[in-house]
Amino acid sequence: MSRRPPRTIAIIGAGPAGLAALKSVLETQHYKDGLWNPIVFELRSAVGGVWIPATPDPTNPKIHPDTPLYDSLTTNLPHPLMAYADFPFPPSTPIFPKAEYVQRYLASYADTFSLRPFIRLSTRVTSMEYQGAGWTLKVRSTDSAQTETQPETILADLVMICNGHYASPRFPATPGVADWLDRGLASHSMWYRHPPRSSSEKEEDKTILIVGAGPSGQDLTADFLALKSSPTTRHTIIHSTTEGAYLPSDERDIPQPNGNILKRRGRVVQYHPLPQPPNPRESEFGEPLQGTVTFEPPHHPEGAEGETISGISHVYLATGYDYDYPFLQPPILSNAFPPPLPLPPAPHQTHPLYNCGFSVSWLAQHMWPLHLPLERSQLEAIDAAVTTYPPTSLAFLGLLSRVSPLPLVEVQAQAVLAAFSDPSLLDQVKETLAVEQRYKELKDSVGEDSENIVNEKVYKAWHKFEPMQQYDYREELYSDFIASSAPSSSSPTVVPAWHREMYNEKGILRQTWRALERSGEAEAFVRGVGSGPDPKAEWEACLRQLLKRGIEGKMKEEVSGEKSVDLGRI
């Protein structure tokens, strides 16, 4: 009796999710028995994904860099919470490490578990489609001379998409912003690395506008607030967020200890037209270009008119990133918002996946495609020859946000492999009901509005988890998929109770850690931690000690009436 050839598992991306997926494959009995053959395609020349630095090309500012890493970036979670389950960060690692630590950690992970022989670097997937009994991928590699090779065809039985979601910058549609971008007075934070050096010997007051409430927006705000000021020169940093419009008056303008000023405002509603001199980067008087913006009115009794501020030196748009899959085309994926749920019954009719930029729909457990019905009228824009593929033959990893990503994608990968081995584990009816229920819950949470706006709000929030949801999700994947199949990994998958506790305290942990960094105590605080026989227990004790110190510090502030300013997370 002839032996069946091994089934090919293609993994797109060798960042945190792709590395976890590959390691999970190598730990299965199927791989050890020669039944599975993994191959990873990584666009860049090294493993690590978003954590590999890349310098923007100043000669071509419209081509975005490969990664949004800026110089001051640190993790926004303590590393004991974000490490892979069986691979702690090295001893003495700073609690909130800089990107270079994470890059080395991921490279060490690839080396420790012998992952590199299965990874094809400098190779991009250009297209994929389902044909017959499997997936056909077209890939192209780049040689040492940066020349692309001829297209190559790869056949795969399972495709795990792990290409991350920090490669396609999202720009706002605010009136006037396009001209500011074209003129160089605004840029997306993906291009940011550090505050620019002054081009003249004379120090001048600058007004910098930073748009966005996420980690990048907060970090850029902190970077600029930390700039040196003088008795004659100070910098005004305007941080524009949705929440800014709801702040009381005494929290809108905050002088900083170093002389700079933080202004917290609501959303920008208008970027005013810029002058049109011969040099597009200068004003009509030959001075550096500056602009004027108007903000939405504050939502409190003291004022109802929008505020206009002039003299803006530059705008940094920390407005996030779109999910992007250039290798997936219709009829597999449609770049549009999905219709509202639930869908009316339409037997024997299926839909494509939808990518609206904010989320991918519809997916069981935020990973596997669901073949839901569509109304006949909705089929007009879809190729009638759509080929239905087994849902367990395609999976998206790492779509969720507001989570500890590395341990989460580990569990996702193990669940995907369990369902690939035993497709009956994926109950399409149960998962469809769960997706419809999530739609209903999100719809109820976004408030009254038109159907289209409500629908957009729902899908914009689709992959965003509340703090403890990620841990419930991981345990559900373990019980419903991993524990129900043959063990595919020796890694522990049940969430330790202290992970939940410390995740809820991540804000005070980070604020306290930054205070230790400013006082010069940080290095001694973690020296030797994690070098003993039980690294996880040591790091847990270290976090508890840090939390205790932070709580005691807060109590002292309340007694003294003083309030510290955390420039890292305003």
Side-chain angles (χ1 to χ4, degrees):
M1 181 177 177
S2 62
R3 183 175 179 178
R4 179 183 173 182
R7 305 177 77 186
T8 298
I9 299 177
I11 300 170
I12 302 177
L19 294 176
L22 175 57
K23 176 178 175 284
S24 297
V25 174
L26 300 183
E27 290 181 337
T28 63
Q29 194 60 45
H30 291 83
Y31 169 75
K32 295 172 183 177
D33 291 342
L35 301 178
W36 287 355
N37 174 41
I39 182 170
V40 181
F41 303 105
E42 168 55 46
L43 176 64
R44 302 186 67 187
S45 59
V47 302
V50 69
W51 295 100
I52 309 170
T55 303
D57 182 359
T59 65
N60 200 346
K62 293 192 175 182
I63 301 298
H64 63 72
D66 291 328
T67 180
L69 287 188
Y70 41 90
D71 296 353
S72 64
L73 178 69
T74 68
T75 65
N76 56 11
L77 292 176
H79 69 75
L81 302 186
M82 63 172 285
Y84 293 118
D86 61 351
F87 196 69
F89 274 72
S92 305
T93 299
I95 297 294
F96 293 86
K98 285 195 169 186
E100 61 203 59
Y101 286 87
V102 184
Q103 181 191 4
R104 290 198 298 266
Y105 171 81
L106 294 171
S108 177
Y109 183 82
D111 292 331
T112 300
F113 298 106
S114 303
L115 306 184
R116 293 186 188 274
F118 303 90
I119 301 172
R120 291 182 54 176
L121 299 173
S122 302
T123 302
R124 65 185 178 101
V125 178
T126 61
S127 67
M128 56 178 282
E129 57 183 347
Y130 194 80
Q131 295 180 336
W135 292 95
T136 299
L137 284 71
K138 300 290 186 182
V139 305
R140 299 189 72 163
S141 298
T142 303
D143 60 23
S144 57
Q146 298 301 304
T147 302
E148 276 198 327
T149 60
Q150 290 297 314
E152 181 182 353
T153 299
I154 303 292
L155 303 179
D157 300 277
L158 166 64
V159 178
M160 301 171 78
I161 298 177
C162 306
N163 66 330
H165 44 89
Y166 296 101
S168 181
R170 179 186 302 133
F171 293 92
T174 312
V177 72
D179 184 41
W180 284 49
L181 287 164
D182 288 341
R183 302 282 297 279
L185 198 60
S187 59
H188 194 278
S189 61
M190 189 173 196
W191 280 260
Y192 172 81
R193 294 299 178 263
H194 50 73
R197 278 71 175 177
S198 177
S199 58
S200 65
E201 295 182 3
K202 179 183 176 183
E203 289 293 331
E204 299 176 342
D205 292 357
K206 288 188 182 298
T207 298
I208 302 296
L209 171 59
I210 296 162
V211 179
S216 296
Q218 295 178 52
D219 284 344
L220 268 65
T221 301
D223 280 359
F224 281 96
L225 283 176
L227 288 175
K228 183 179 179 180
S229 63
S230 71
T232 58
T233 304
R234 68 180 184 183
H235 303 291
T236 300
I237 312 305
I238 308 171
H239 192 194
S240 166
T241 67
T242 301
E243 293 77 12
Y246 296 87
L247 293 171
S249 296
D250 61 350
E251 295 183 18
R252 287 166 56 81
D253 293 352
I254 307 175
Q256 301 298 300
N258 63 359
N260 294 328
I261 297 176
L262 169 64
K263 291 180 177 287
R264 304 163 79 180
R265 296 295 186 266
R267 292 176 296 181
V268 179
V269 296
Q270 175 73 50
Y271 292 87
H272 291 247
L274 298 171
Q276 301 293 326
N279 184 342
R281 294 181 183 273
E282 293 182 350
S283 70
E284 57 185 323
F285 303 107
E287 297 292 329
L289 191 63
Q290 294 183 335
T292 300
V293 301
T294 297
F295 297 92
E296 65 178 331
H299 293 265
H300 58 81
E302 298 180 24
E305 293 186 3
E307 178 183 8
T308 296
I309 296 181
S310 301
I312 305 293
S313 304
H314 196 82
V315 180
Y316 292 92
L317 302 169
T319 45
Y321 300 84
D322 285 329
Y323 294 92
D324 188 29
Y325 308 97
F327 46 84
L328 283 177
Q329 303 295 332
I332 300 298
L333 181 139
S334 176
N335 291 314
F337 276 93
L341 290 178
L343 296 170
H348 311 301
Q349 297 176 7
T350 58
H351 72 97
L353 294 173
Y354 291 94
N355 175 22
C356 66
F358 296 88
S359 62
V360 180
S361 301
W362 295 286
L363 301 174
Q365 296 291 345
H366 300 271
M367 292 189 293
W368 294 286
L370 279 174
H371 294 318
L372 300 186
L374 280 180
E375 291 182 284
R376 187 172 299 279
S377 61
Q378 295 169 325
L379 287 173
E380 295 174 359
I382 302 170
D383 188 345
V386 60
T387 302
T388 301
Y389 49 88
T392 55
S393 71
L394 177 64
F396 294 78
L397 272 65
L399 298 182
L400 293 167
S401 61
R402 300 176 181 174
V403 298
S404 296
L406 275 61
L408 186 140
V409 293
E410 260 187 318
V411 178
Q412 285 186 324
Q414 294 166 14
V416 166
L417 296 173
F420 179 57
S421 176
D422 180 6
S424 68
L425 292 175
L426 183 61
D427 186 335
Q428 288 262 12
V429 174
K430 173 186 172 183
E431 297 298 342
T432 297
L433 294 175
V435 165
E436 291 177 347
Q437 178 62 25
R438 179 161 179 78
Y439 187 94
K440 180 180 184 303
E441 291 172 355
L442 289 174
K443 180 180 178 181
D444 292 343
S445 71
V446 300
E448 298 288 334
D449 219 319
S450 68
E451 182 180 72
N452 285 342
I453 292 177
V454 168
N455 193 56
E456 287 188 8
K457 288 182 177 180
V458 166
Y459 288 115
K460 286 179 179 180
W462 194 259
H463 296 312
K464 294 179 180 178
F465 268 13
E466 296 301 318
M468 293 301 105
Q469 275 185 285
Q470 60 174 315
Y471 298 118
D472 297 337
Y473 171 80
R474 280 163 56 180
E475 293 188 337
E476 181 182 351
L477 289 183
Y478 177 76
S479 62
D480 290 358
F481 296 92
I482 301 167
S484 299
S485 66
S488 60
S489 173
S490 59
S491 303
T493 48
V494 177
V495 179
W498 64 273
H499 277 223
R500 293 176 180 262
E501 179 184 354
M502 293 299 153
Y503 190 91
N504 274 333
E505 303 290 354
K506 63 184 184 297
I508 189 171
L509 287 171
R510 194 174 196 278
Q511 184 175 359
T512 308
W513 178 253
R514 290 185 69 88
L516 291 181
E517 289 181 320
R518 289 193 293 269
S519 68
E521 301 172 78
E523 183 177 351
F525 191 84
V526 295
R527 185 177 296 132
V529 177
S531 58
D534 190 349
K536 292 181 183 179
E538 292 182 31
W539 284 116
E540 177 190 354
C542 183
L543 288 186
R544 292 193 180 282
Q545 183 183 357
L546 185 65
L547 178 61
K548 179 182 178 182
R549 185 158 178 165
I551 292 173
E552 290 173 349
K554 274 193 168 295
M555 291 174 64
K556 289 179 181 177
E557 287 175 11
E558 292 172 1
V559 171
S560 66
E562 295 179 357
K563 185 176 181 181
S564 65
V565 178
D566 175 21
L567 295 182
R569 284 289 185 271
I570 297 165

